[in-house]
Amino acid sequence: ERERADRSIAQMIEELDRLHRSLEQAVAERTTTLKSREAELRVQNARFDAAINTMTQALMMYDAQGRLAICNDRYYEMYRLARGSANRGATVLDVLQARADAGMLNGEPEALAGEILEAVAGGQTRGWLVDLPDGRTISVLVHPTADGGWVSTHEDITQRRDSERRLAYMARHDALTGLPNRMHLHERLADELTRIHPGERLAVLCLDIDKFKAVNDMLGHATADEYLKAFAERLRRTIDPHDFVARIGADQFAIVQTGSIRSAADTASFATRLCEI
């Protein structure tokens, strides 16, 4: 009986040892898997951080409680804030107040925070154009998320708006003299004819430069261009501040008189002065 008991105990010990080794192996495998997943997660987080911090746009993400969860580096750069001024867990009002303190906010932080929260509550994507005190223009978009939070993106569009303004200016002005062109003249005439009241006067004078072709042929295009610019400047100085002058052809100009007309004789006298400049 004693021998059988010893054999049973030995078998139990052997079984327990086998189970122990199996458990150790399972724990080791589990630990290796966890470490592998942690390494993958670190790599993914690093990639995510690299992605959001190399964006040309500033990005912020708020959770359902309205607390800041993510803020990329571009946000600090765009608004010239010290790192950490938009801490994780801050409210949108906290962030806007930090911008106001740094001189990077026009208006009241409370008012803008209210507009953002109203847009989020309505579940609508909303955009703003924000003019900063330093003259830059930022396009801000707020995108509500399904969990009740939101993502906001901020893009500096100053150069784009400047380019658009330049293109709009060039489309309606003469590149050489800077005077309004024919299209701008038509717009101004249409506007004046719409606004003019009974009894008021409007005059349109058209003029060109005598023998301009000869000047161009004999002295060259560069000299002729300088001549045109000087002539345009003389026209600017001659007209009344309320009047309008445009270049409508190579050596052709037009003037719209509105504020300086009392009679037809005034316009005739003005036309005489033009011929003398």
Side-chain angles (χ1 to χ4, degrees), residues 40-77:
E40 291 176 1
L41 184 59
R42 284 194 296 271
V43 170
Q44 290 176 357
N45 286 339
R47 289 173 178 171
F48 178 73
D49 289 341
I52 67 169
N53 287 320
T54 55
M55 293 173 59
T56 58
Q57 295 179 327
L59 179 141
M60 306 186 81
M61 182 179 291
Y62 291 83
D63 61 22
Q65 287 70 47
R67 299 287 178 175
L68 183 62
I70 294 173
C71 176
N72 70 352
D73 292 343
R74 180 64 178 139
Y75 186 86
Y76 294 105
E77 296 167 0

Side-chain angles (χ1 to χ4, degrees), residues 10-24:
Q11 289 175 351
M12 288 178 60
I13 291 173
E14 184 179 347
E15 182 65 20
L16 287 173
D17 186 55
R18 185 182 64 78
L19 290 173
H20 180 70
R21 288 195 301 272
S22 177
L23 181 60
E24 285 182 338

